[in-house]
Amino acid sequence: MIGAKVLSADEATKMTNEYTSKLEKCLKSADDYEPQATYLRGRWSKIERAGAKVTTWDTGCDLDLLRYVGRKSVEYPEMFDVHPELREGHIAARLRQIEEGRDLDWPTAEAMAFGSLLLQGYDARLSGEHVERGTFVQRHAVLIDQSTGRSYVPLNAVTSGANNDDDKIGKIEVANSVLLGGGRAGLRVRLERDLARLSDRLGGAVRRLLQRRPVDDRHLRERRRDQVAARAAAW
């Protein structure tokens, strides 16, 4: 712009200095800037913003207590038939970690955390798909007797051997949630029953939904409308 004589060199320098000064002023004021809490109004008017100070708590546990919980997390009754791969790959490996005091993995630390809470009188509950064994087959909070199918939760035995009042010991419940495959199967059955009536209005993607039988694995889209109607009427 200077070369085109739109601005003089002095004018360009002045504009640059003014804008730089503005940026420096904003940067300096950012340290003391307090944003206006415009969102804490109406029903939220009694809510206060969190302060700048963060409160911390000492959540550590005695090492002997953690070792005790770690060992109890993989103990099981004498006549309990544990899967042989778990005996070496999970139970023996965890006991070695605790004995050597190094290379503790996440599942071991998790078991110690849960067990320490139980010893303080807190109850715990885990629920979800595959939470008993862990999504990555790492937790094994519930052991299954391979002969009887009976389940056993080792952490619920942390009372024996610990210097605590048994009445104040918490319990942990670990429950696998139900998978939702049954709902999808029900949708397919309902679809085939109603297909004769709805075939004119169903979208192509829905019509292509597969419905298989033990003796007939043909796709719905390969059946004529009269065939589907006859099958639905037979139900």
Side-chain angles (χ1 to χ4, degrees), residues 160-224:
S160 59
N163 296 323
N164 291 277
D165 186 349
D166 288 358
D167 294 336
K168 297 180 181 179
I169 301 298
K171 292 294 182 182
I172 184 170
E173 180 182 4
V174 187
N176 289 334
S177 63
V178 179
L179 297 177
L180 301 179
R184 292 191 292 271
L187 172 63
R188 292 187 175 191
V189 173
R190 178 65 180 273
L191 174 63
E192 182 162 349
R193 292 182 60 181
D194 296 342
L195 188 57
R197 178 172 56 87
L198 300 176
S199 58
D200 291 333
R201 299 195 299 271
L202 288 176
V206 178
R207 285 198 301 270
R208 289 193 295 271
L209 187 65
L210 304 183
Q211 171 63 45
R212 299 180 182 273
R213 293 172 173 274
V215 295
D216 185 2
D217 61 355
R218 294 177 61 192
H219 298 177
L220 281 178
R221 64 175 180 271
E222 296 175 356
R223 295 178 179 173
R224 298 196 308 272

Side-chain angles (χ1 to χ4, degrees), residues 50-97:
K53 183 179 179 181
V54 177
T55 303
T56 59
W57 292 269
D58 181 9
T59 59
C61 292
D62 182 76
L63 282 177
D64 290 335
L65 177 63
L66 293 178
R67 293 189 186 100
Y68 165 77
V69 172
R71 288 191 292 267
K72 295 297 290 185
S73 70
V74 289
E75 285 187 5
Y76 54 91
E78 183 177 354
M79 301 303 294
F80 198 86
D81 185 14
V82 176
H83 195 287
E85 292 187 7
L86 286 185
R87 279 199 297 268
E88 179 59 32
H90 172 65
I91 297 173
R94 177 169 296 183
L95 292 176
R96 283 195 298 269
Q97 293 175 6

Side-chain angles (χ1 to χ4, degrees), residues 99-171:
E99 182 67 25
E100 297 173 1
R102 60 186 179 87
D103 298 329
L104 296 181
D105 54 21
W106 177 268
T108 301
E110 181 190 66
M112 290 178 173
F114 278 126
S116 66
L117 290 175
L118 300 181
L119 289 172
Q120 295 177 56
Y122 294 100
D123 293 325
R125 186 174 191 271
L126 292 178
S127 178
E129 295 180 4
H130 311 304
V131 293
E132 293 183 359
R133 71 160 196 242
T135 301
F136 304 102
V137 198
Q138 84 286 357
R139 180 176 292 125
H140 299 293
V142 179
L143 302 178
I144 305 297
D145 190 305
Q146 299 302 296
S147 299
T148 65
R150 183 168 62 94
S151 61
Y152 180 75
V153 183
L155 280 176
N156 280 332
V158 293
T159 56
S160 59
N163 296 323
N164 291 277
D165 186 349
D166 288 358
D167 294 336
K168 297 180 181 179
I169 301 298
K171 292 294 182 182

